[in-house]
Amino acid sequence: MIKAAILGHGTVGSGVYEVFEMNADKIACVAGEPVEIKYVLDLRDFSSLSYGHKFVSDFAVIENDPEVTVVAEVMGGVGAAYEFTRRCLLAGKSVCTSNKELVATRGDELLKIAEEKGVNYMFEASVGGGIPIIRPMLRCLAANEFNEICGILNGTTNYILTQMIHNGVTFADALRQAQLSGYAEKDPTADIEGHDACRKICILSNLAFGDKFDPDQVSCEGISGVTLEDVASAEKLGCVIKLIGRAVRNEDGTAYAYVAPHLIPKENLLASVEDVFNAIMINGNATGDVMFYGKGAGKLATASAVAADMLDCIEHAGHRLRISWGNGSKNLLRPIDTLQSAWYVRFRGDRKTIEAMLPVESLAEPTEGMLIARTSKLPTVDMEKKIARLGECGEVCAAMRIL
Ligand code: HSE
C-alpha cells in the first residue's frame, strides 16, 4: 500500500481526496498497488467527514512519517506552502501541486532541491487546470524549439468576457455572476487584473525557454477596463475580446512575455473558447501550431491533474522527471516596447485627426463623433506615443492589441 498526504482541504484538496476515492481501483491498477491518503493537513475542523480521522494540524506528523512518499500541496500562497514543500522535498518526499504562484515565483529553487534529493516536484495542475500542458511540453514536444505560446489562461475572466459578449452583461454584473457561480474569489483581483494568467504564462515560458520569467517583471494588464462599447466595437471589426497570455521567442533567444486583453479575429480558434474553458496554442519549430483545450479551473478537473502527477511519482518512484529552469540570470525577458502589434483604438474626435496621427488601416464611425480604428503593426513604444499624442486632440476611449 502506497501512502500519500494532502496539504490543504480547500476546493482542490477535497477534490484530490475525492478523485483517489472515486477512482481507487483504476488508481491501484496504474500504481501497481492501492494508494491510501494517510493524512490531510488543515487547521479547520472536518471531524464530521467520513475521513475526518485523517486530518492533522501539525505538518511535522507528515514530514516525519517515512511511510508517506508523495504529497499534494494544494494550500495556495507562497508562505506556509513554500515552507512545507521545501521540507517535504528535503525529507525525500515528492510533491505535486496546483499552486501556480509558488511554482512561478520559487519553482527554480524547489526544483533544485528536488533534484538534489532525487525526488520530483510536479505541477501539471498549475496551468490550465485539467488540461495536460506541462507534460506535453516536456515530453511530446521536447524535440522542438518553442517559437510562441499564446493562450486563454484564466477561466474566471473568460467567463466574464463571455457574459459580456453574448448576453450584454456589464463587467461589474458579470463579475458578480462569476462570484455567485463560485468561479471568482471574494477578492477577484488576481483573476481580473491578470496576475493569475501572468503566473501561468511565466511557468510556460520557464519551461519553453529554460530560464525564470519573473511575474513581477512581466507586463500585465487585466480586463477591468473592458466595456460593453469595446465588445460592440470588436464585433464591428469581426473580433471578440479575450484576455491573452503570450510569450514570443526572438531570433537571439530572448523572448517577450505579457498578459493583456486582445481583440481576436473570429476565425482564430481562440475566439471560440468560452465560459471557464482555457485554450493554449503552442508553436513548435517542428510541429507548427498545437492547441490544448479544456476546463481550466474547477475542483475535479484540477484535482485530476494533481492526482495524475502523484501517480506518476508513485509509478516511477526512484526516477526523476528532468524539469528545471535557471534563476533568471540569463535575462531572457525582453521588454514589450519593441513588440510589433496591430491595435484597435476607439476615439471620440475628428476623423482627419486620427487618420493623420495613427497608421489607420480601417476606420468606422458607428455613432457620430465616435471612431473605431484598426491600425497596421507598430512597435509598442511607438504606438503608445502616438496614442498619447492623439489623446491631446480628442478622447481616446480605449486601445487594445489585435492578435
Ligand atoms: N482562478 C483561476 C481561474 C483558477 O479562474 O482560471 C485556476 O487557476
Side-chain angles (χ1 to χ4, degrees):
M1 176 86 84
I2 307 287
K3 310 277 183 181
I6 301 173
L7 310 183
H9 193 260
T11 305
V12 182
S14 57
V16 172
Y17 195 92
E18 196 175 324
V19 166
F20 271 91
E21 241 186 13
M22 180 171 75
N23 296 336
D25 292 346
K26 165 75 194 291
I27 285 171
C29 194
V30 175
E33 55 185 303
V35 180
E36 184 201 348
I37 304 294
K38 187 170 180 182
Y39 305 110
V40 182
L41 181 80
D42 205 296
L43 294 177
R44 293 166 295 175
D45 178 15
F46 288 102
S47 53
S48 62
L49 291 179
S50 61
Y51 54 98
H53 59 286
K54 300 199 171 202
F55 280 78
V56 293
S57 54
D58 181 3
F59 167 72
V61 173
I62 296 169
E63 182 182 27
N64 296 325
D65 186 337
E67 271 195 334
V68 173
T69 53
V70 58
V71 174
E73 183 277 294
V74 281
M75 304 167 65
V78 291
Y82 167 73
E83 187 54 25
F84 294 168
T85 299
R86 196 180 68 85
R87 282 164 59 180
C88 281
L89 295 171
L90 288 171
K93 303 175 197 303
S94 289
V95 178
C96 307
T97 189
S98 57
N99 186 341
K100 54 248 165 191
E101 189 178 1
L102 185 56
V103 177
T105 54
R106 308 199 76 164
D108 53 324
E109 288 172 51
L110 293 167
L111 285 164
K112 203 154 184 290
I113 299 173
E115 186 179 350
E116 282 160 13
K117 301 306 286 187
V119 292
N120 282 296
Y121 181 51
M122 297 175 79
F123 44 88
E124 182 63 66
S126 66
V127 181
I131 306 172
I133 180 71
I134 306 292
R135 216 175 258 87
M137 281 184 76
L138 285 167
R139 293 251 173 91
C140 321
L141 300 173
N144 285 261
E145 288 286 1
F146 295 104
N147 294 322
E148 182 174 349
I149 302 165
C150 180
I152 295 169
L153 300 172
N154 183 267
T156 303
T157 45
N158 206 42
Y159 172 85
I160 292 171
L161 290 170
T162 303
Q163 290 298 317
M164 293 174 76
I165 293 164
H166 291 300
N167 301 330
V169 178
T170 62
F171 172 80
D173 287 345
L175 171 58
R176 259 190 297 278
Q177 278 180 24
Q179 284 170 319
L180 287 175
S181 309
Y183 300 136
E185 307 277 337
K186 211 165 153 205
D187 177 357
T189 312
D191 288 323
I192 65 173
E193 297 306 342
H195 306 151
D196 176 80
C198 183
R199 290 166 190 147
K200 292 168 179 169
I201 197 64
C202 285
I203 294 171
L204 297 178
S205 302
N206 298 342
L207 286 173
F209 308 125
D211 201 24
K212 181 175 177 175
F213 283 65
D214 183 347
D216 288 338
Q217 308 294 320
V218 165
S219 169
C220 176
E221 184 191 337
I223 63 160
S224 54
V226 176
T227 64
L228 287 177
E229 287 76 18
D230 296 319
V231 168
S233 305
E235 172 71 32
K236 288 212 164 10
L237 296 177
C239 296
V240 289
I241 298 177
K242 298 282 178 193
L243 183 67
I244 295 293
R246 187 163 177 238
V248 183
R249 183 172 181 271
N250 297 305
E251 273 179 14
D252 63 1
T254 62
Y256 300 112
Y258 69 101
V259 172
H262 283 66
L263 266 66
I264 314 288
K266 284 188 182 170
E267 58 273 18
N268 186 314
L269 283 176
L270 291 173
S272 52
V273 176
E274 299 191 331
D275 294 317
V276 284
F277 281 82
N278 285 189
I280 303 154
M281 187 283 296
I282 296 192
N283 182 281
N285 68 347
T287 59
D289 288 350
V290 183
M291 185 93 157
F292 300 84
Y293 170 85
K295 275 193 188 161
K299 176 174 168 169
L300 289 184
T302 309
S304 113
V306 177
D309 273 350
M310 293 167 78
L311 274 179
D312 205 351
C313 292
I314 292 165
E315 217 187 334
H316 302 106
H319 297 276
R320 285 203 65 254
L321 247 187
R322 277 196 290 142
I323 319 175
S324 66
W325 54 76
N327 61 8
S329 58
K330 291 187 203 160
N331 287 317
L332 295 184
L333 178 66
R334 181 184 280 192
I336 57 169
D337 295 2
T338 49
L339 174 73
Q340 301 252 358
S341 305
W343 287 71
Y344 141 78
V345 177
R346 189 157 59 83
F347 177 66
R348 190 186 301 281
D350 180 57
R351 178 179 275 263
K352 286 200 178 111
T353 308
I354 192 168
E355 280 175 338
M357 297 181 81
L358 295 185
V360 172
E361 272 194 349
S362 74
L363 194 62
E365 190 167 4
T367 54
E368 206 184 325
M370 183 58 84
L371 298 159
I372 300 171
R374 175 203 288 268
T375 75
S376 55
K377 286 189 175 182
L378 271 191
T380 303
V381 68
D382 296 342
M383 186 59 84
E384 283 175 349
K385 274 188 203 147
K386 285 182 188 294
I387 291 171
R389 265 188 245 123
L390 182 66
E392 291 162 14
C393 309
E395 184 192 354
V396 176
C397 304
M400 240 177 264
R401 290 173 203 279
I402 303 176
L403 196 65

